[in-house]
Amino acid sequence: MLQRFLGRLRGTPPAPPPSDWRGFDRATLHHFDAPELPLQPHGIAVPSYALRTEAGTGDLAMFLGIGEAWAQMVSRFLPDDPVVLDLGCGCGKLARFLHLNPRLSYIGVDIFQPGILWCRRAFAGSAGRFRFEHFDGYSATYNPDGKLKVTDYALPAGDGSVDVLVASSHFTHLLEPDGVHYLAEIARALRRGGQALISIHDQVAPGQTWS
């Protein structure tokens, strides 16, 4: 009796959040949550737990740590007044750190539209040098209503206009024909002497021809 009474006083414990973005309403993923960190004036907001899981980890410390590590590596290859294209930019994991360089121009591209919509709002104060483009390609997981094939897509950058292209955990999602097409587009967009920083899997799982 006492236990039932105490249970009513405590109420039903809140349900744990879904394990990743697939458990949330896709139509509202780009909405802003209450900030998880105190924001100073002109600071970039922190993306929601749901958006961070689509970018690889819901853990905030890991999300920020991975973004900073990539930014440090990218920064080693930047010339003065650089142009960076981030292929598979997600919800700005790398962009938020590159934003600290006031001379840098940035193009973020992703097939996952909620992340692009969120970034456009989060970086609205720097829209003159930071822009985010949605690739409306078909993906059963990330963009099931997409209309374009990867092999018909051109990166949103002119020939020889990009100093550094970043593809973090992008090629690991591609089949060979799509990967070949992206490599041709990267070669087209990079200036002479530009750099492409691409992460890949280099160890095939036992019994597989690719992974």
Side-chain angles (χ1 to χ4, degrees):
M1 182 76 172
L2 178 60
Q3 292 299 322
R4 289 199 300 271
F5 175 73
L6 291 175
R8 286 198 298 271
L9 286 178
R10 297 189 186 104
T12 303
S19 59
D20 68 16
W21 63 273
R22 296 170 183 84
F24 292 84
D25 180 1
R26 190 185 189 95
T28 62
L29 280 176
H30 64 285
H31 290 183
F32 273 45
D33 287 349
E36 294 193 36
L37 291 174
L39 293 180
Q40 301 297 333
H42 313 295
I44 301 299
V46 176
S48 67
Y49 168 83
L51 281 180
R52 297 197 306 268
T53 62
E54 190 279 329
T57 176
D59 182 84
L60 181 56
M62 184 66 72
F63 176 85
L64 295 174
I66 293 171
E68 183 184 20
W70 269 95
Q72 289 182 19
M73 180 168 60
V74 170
S75 296
R76 293 180 61 88
F77 298 96
L78 296 180
D80 295 336
D81 303 311
V83 176
V84 175
L85 195 153
D86 188 1
L87 185 54
C89 65
C91 53
K93 181 167 57 181
L94 170 61
R96 66 184 305 110
F97 292 99
L98 296 183
H99 184 261
L100 297 172
N101 182 344
R103 301 177 65 176
L104 183 146
S105 296
Y106 172 96
I107 306 165
V109 179
D110 208 284
I111 198 170
F112 189 63
Q113 189 174 36
I116 293 294
L117 295 176
W118 187 92
C119 284
R120 286 176 179 171
R121 181 177 170 190
F123 291 83
S126 299
R129 63 187 185 95
F130 270 66
R131 64 184 173 98
F132 296 86
E133 302 289 344
H134 177 233
F135 164 40
D136 192 23
Y138 173 76
S139 167
T141 301
Y142 299 104
N143 197 38
D145 297 323
K147 299 175 179 60
L148 298 176
K149 296 189 300 183
V150 169
T151 50
D152 294 331
Y153 179 64
L155 292 175
D159 296 358
S161 63
V162 174
D163 294 296
V164 176
L165 182 137
V166 183
S168 168
S169 298
H170 180 77
F171 277 79
T172 53
H173 294 268
L174 301 179
L175 296 176
E176 184 175 349
D178 295 342
V180 169
H181 176 75
Y182 271 122
L183 288 173
E185 274 297 291
I186 290 169
R188 176 191 65 78
L190 281 176
R191 66 167 177 81
R192 184 179 296 274
Q195 302 284 337
L197 306 180
I198 300 171
S199 67
I200 60 172
H201 293 310
D202 62 357
Q203 295 184 357
V204 179
Q208 302 294 321
T209 56
W210 56 273
S211 62

